[in-house]
Amino acid sequence: MSRNVLIKHNVPAEWIDYNGHMNDAEYVRAFSWGVDRFMKLIGITDELREQQRYTIYTMETHVCYLDEMKLDEPFEVQMQMIDYDAKRVHIFFELFGENGKRAATSEQMLMGIDQESVRPAPFPEEVYENVKELAKHHTPEENPKEVGRVIGIRRKK
Protein backbone atom coordinates (compact mmCIF):
# COMPACT_ATOMS: atom_id res chain seq x y z
CA MET A 1 0.00 0.00 0.00
CA SER A 2 1.26 3.44 -0.82
CA ARG A 3 0.07 6.84 0.23
CA ASN A 4 -1.03 9.26 -2.42
CA VAL A 5 0.47 12.76 -2.15
CA LEU A 6 -2.37 15.17 -2.96
CA ILE A 7 -1.01 18.59 -1.98
CA LYS A 8 2.44 20.17 -1.70
CA HIS A 9 2.53 23.72 -0.34
CA ASN A 10 4.21 26.02 2.18
CA VAL A 11 2.53 27.57 5.24
CA PRO A 12 1.56 31.13 4.20
CA ALA A 13 1.78 34.13 6.55
CA GLU A 14 -2.01 34.49 6.76
CA TRP A 15 -2.25 31.00 8.26
CA ILE A 16 -0.11 31.93 11.30
CA ASP A 17 -1.99 32.80 14.48
CA TYR A 18 -1.26 34.71 17.70
CA ASN A 19 0.67 31.69 19.04
CA GLY A 20 3.19 31.95 16.21
CA HIS A 21 2.20 28.72 14.48
CA MET A 22 -0.40 27.52 11.97
CA ASN A 23 -3.94 28.16 13.15
CA ASP A 24 -6.08 25.07 13.76
CA ALA A 25 -8.59 26.11 11.07
CA GLU A 26 -5.82 26.14 8.47
CA TYR A 27 -5.06 22.47 9.02
CA VAL A 28 -8.70 21.85 8.11
CA ARG A 29 -8.27 24.08 5.03
CA ALA A 30 -5.30 21.97 3.90
CA PHE A 31 -7.37 18.79 4.35
CA SER A 32 -10.25 20.42 2.45
CA TRP A 33 -7.83 21.03 -0.43
CA GLY A 34 -7.07 17.31 -0.16
CA VAL A 35 -10.77 16.49 -0.62
CA ASP A 36 -10.85 18.73 -3.70
CA ARG A 37 -7.82 16.95 -5.14
CA PHE A 38 -9.31 13.53 -4.27
CA MET A 39 -12.50 14.47 -6.12
CA LYS A 40 -10.48 15.23 -9.25
CA LEU A 41 -8.58 11.94 -8.90
CA ILE A 42 -11.82 9.95 -8.94
CA GLY A 43 -13.21 11.96 -11.84
CA ILE A 44 -15.48 14.47 -10.13
CA THR A 45 -14.25 17.40 -12.19
CA ASP A 46 -15.86 20.81 -12.68
CA GLU A 47 -17.28 19.51 -15.97
CA LEU A 48 -18.80 16.38 -14.38
CA ARG A 49 -20.34 18.43 -11.56
CA GLU A 50 -21.89 20.80 -14.07
CA GLN A 51 -23.07 18.17 -16.55
CA GLN A 52 -24.27 15.47 -14.14
CA ARG A 53 -25.13 17.74 -11.18
CA TYR A 54 -23.16 15.41 -8.91
CA THR A 55 -20.68 16.24 -6.15
CA ILE A 56 -19.28 15.07 -2.81
CA TYR A 57 -20.11 16.43 0.64
CA THR A 58 -18.04 15.94 3.76
CA MET A 59 -20.36 14.29 6.29
CA GLU A 60 -17.99 13.94 9.24
CA THR A 61 -14.40 14.76 10.05
CA HIS A 62 -12.07 14.08 12.98
CA VAL A 63 -8.84 16.08 13.14
CA CYS A 64 -5.88 15.24 15.37
CA TYR A 65 -3.27 17.97 15.85
CA LEU A 66 0.08 16.31 16.42
CA ASP A 67 2.74 18.99 15.91
CA GLU A 68 3.11 22.70 15.19
CA MET A 69 3.61 24.06 11.69
CA LYS A 70 5.60 27.29 11.27
CA LEU A 71 5.66 30.12 8.73
CA ASP A 72 6.85 29.04 5.26
CA GLU A 73 7.30 25.43 6.39
CA PRO A 74 6.81 23.07 3.46
CA PHE A 75 4.05 20.52 3.89
CA GLU A 76 2.26 17.83 2.00
CA VAL A 77 -1.13 16.18 2.42
CA GLN A 78 -1.26 12.44 1.79
CA MET A 79 -4.30 10.19 1.67
CA GLN A 80 -5.27 6.61 2.30
CA MET A 81 -8.67 5.05 1.66
CA ILE A 82 -10.00 3.19 4.68
CA ASP A 83 -13.25 1.94 3.11
CA TYR A 84 -15.85 2.74 0.46
CA ASP A 85 -19.18 1.66 -0.94
CA ALA A 86 -21.35 2.74 -3.88
CA LYS A 87 -21.84 6.29 -2.55
CA ARG A 88 -19.44 6.83 0.38
CA VAL A 89 -15.71 6.97 0.97
CA HIS A 90 -14.04 6.68 4.38
CA ILE A 91 -10.75 8.47 3.82
CA PHE A 92 -7.73 9.29 5.96
CA PHE A 93 -5.46 12.27 5.36
CA GLU A 94 -2.09 13.03 6.94
CA LEU A 95 -0.34 16.39 6.90
CA PHE A 96 3.43 16.11 6.96
CA GLY A 97 5.76 19.03 7.63
CA GLU A 98 9.47 19.51 7.23
CA ASN A 99 11.68 16.41 7.48
CA GLY A 100 8.68 14.08 7.43
CA LYS A 101 7.18 15.50 10.63
CA ARG A 102 3.62 14.10 11.02
CA ALA A 103 1.76 17.27 12.02
CA ALA A 104 -1.94 16.35 11.76
CA THR A 105 -4.44 13.75 10.60
CA SER A 106 -8.01 13.99 9.35
CA GLU A 107 -10.37 11.05 9.16
CA GLN A 108 -13.37 11.85 6.96
CA MET A 109 -16.59 10.34 5.68
CA LEU A 110 -17.43 11.66 2.22
CA MET A 111 -20.83 11.15 0.57
CA GLY A 112 -21.81 11.33 -3.07
CA ILE A 113 -24.65 13.82 -3.60
CA ASP A 114 -27.14 14.41 -6.38
CA GLN A 115 -27.19 18.21 -6.58
CA GLU A 116 -30.72 18.34 -8.02
CA SER A 117 -32.32 16.56 -5.05
CA VAL A 118 -29.51 17.42 -2.59
CA ARG A 119 -29.72 13.81 -1.43
CA PRO A 120 -27.17 11.00 -1.24
CA ALA A 121 -26.73 9.18 -4.54
CA PRO A 122 -24.46 6.42 -5.88
CA PHE A 123 -21.28 7.46 -7.64
CA PRO A 124 -21.53 7.72 -11.43
CA GLU A 125 -20.18 4.48 -12.90
CA GLU A 126 -16.86 5.93 -14.12
CA VAL A 127 -16.29 7.61 -10.74
CA TYR A 128 -17.04 4.38 -8.87
CA GLU A 129 -14.52 2.50 -11.05
CA ASN A 130 -11.89 5.13 -10.16
CA VAL A 131 -12.73 4.81 -6.44
CA LYS A 132 -12.23 1.04 -6.62
CA GLU A 133 -8.94 1.44 -8.49
CA LEU A 134 -7.60 4.00 -5.99
CA ALA A 135 -8.62 1.74 -3.11
CA LYS A 136 -6.56 -1.13 -4.59
CA HIS A 137 -3.40 0.93 -4.26
CA HIS A 138 -4.09 3.21 -1.29
CA THR A 139 -5.88 1.12 1.36
CA PRO A 140 -3.70 0.30 4.36
CA GLU A 141 -3.33 -3.27 5.58
CA GLU A 142 -3.71 -1.92 9.10
CA ASN A 143 -5.57 1.31 9.88
CA PRO A 144 -3.61 4.23 11.33
CA LYS A 145 -4.09 4.50 15.10
CA GLU A 146 -6.22 7.66 14.77
CA VAL A 147 -8.92 5.91 12.70
CA GLY A 148 -12.11 5.39 14.70
CA ARG A 149 -10.93 7.34 17.72
CA VAL A 150 -13.49 8.45 20.24
CA ILE A 151 -13.01 11.79 21.94
CA GLY A 152 -13.37 11.97 25.71
CA ILE A 153 -11.65 12.59 29.01
CA ARG A 154 -9.97 9.49 30.37
CA ARG A 155 -10.67 8.98 34.04
CA LYS A 156 -8.55 6.97 36.44
CA LYS A 157 -10.51 4.22 38.12
Side-chain angles (χ1 to χ4, degrees), residues 11-156:
V11 178
E14 59 271 16
W15 288 14
I16 301 300
D17 67 12
Y18 46 83
N19 291 317
H21 59 251
M22 194 162 110
N23 182 275
D24 59 336
E26 303 306 339
Y27 290 83
V28 175
R29 180 192 308 263
F31 292 129
S32 181
W33 289 356
V35 171
D36 291 344
R37 180 70 182 116
F38 171 75
M39 287 173 62
K40 286 186 172 79
L41 279 176
I42 62 172
I44 301 178
T45 61
D46 294 341
E47 295 81 22
L48 183 132
R49 274 196 310 276
E50 191 174 303
Q51 292 169 1
Q52 297 191 29
R53 304 288 297 141
Y54 189 87
T55 192
I56 282 184
Y57 283 4
T58 302
M59 305 307 291
E60 186 171 349
T61 184
H62 297 224
V63 177
C64 293
Y65 301 95
L66 307 173
D67 211 332
E68 295 179 357
M69 294 291 295
K70 301 292 186 178
L71 177 64
D72 290 327
E73 185 173 348
F75 70 86
E76 61 184 42
V77 174
Q78 300 180 10
M79 68 124 253
Q80 298 174 65
M81 288 181 58
I82 304 302
D83 199 3
Y84 67 92
D85 65 16
K87 61 185 172 186
R88 294 174 295 193
V89 176
H90 182 183
I91 197 164
F92 187 77
F93 297 106
E94 294 172 290
L95 187 145
F96 290 92
E98 217 161 32
N99 301 316
K101 169 180 68 181
R102 194 165 178 258
T105 65
S106 178
E107 177 184 8
Q108 298 190 22
M109 183 63 67
L110 307 176
M111 174 79 75
I113 300 289
D114 177 319
Q115 290 180 300
E116 294 292 325
S117 66
V118 194
R119 301 282 307 144
F123 296 120
E125 187 176 328
E126 66 274 15
V127 170
Y128 191 49
E129 291 304 314
N130 292 336
V131 167
K132 291 191 285 190
E133 189 61 29
L134 255 178
K136 281 184 196 175
H137 304 288
H138 301 291
T139 299
E141 288 182 28
E142 186 174 310
N143 287 341
K145 66 182 178 184
E146 293 85 3
V147 171
R149 282 187 54 179
V150 176
I151 195 167
I153 298 172
R154 294 189 187 128
R155 306 277 186 201
K156 292 184 180 184

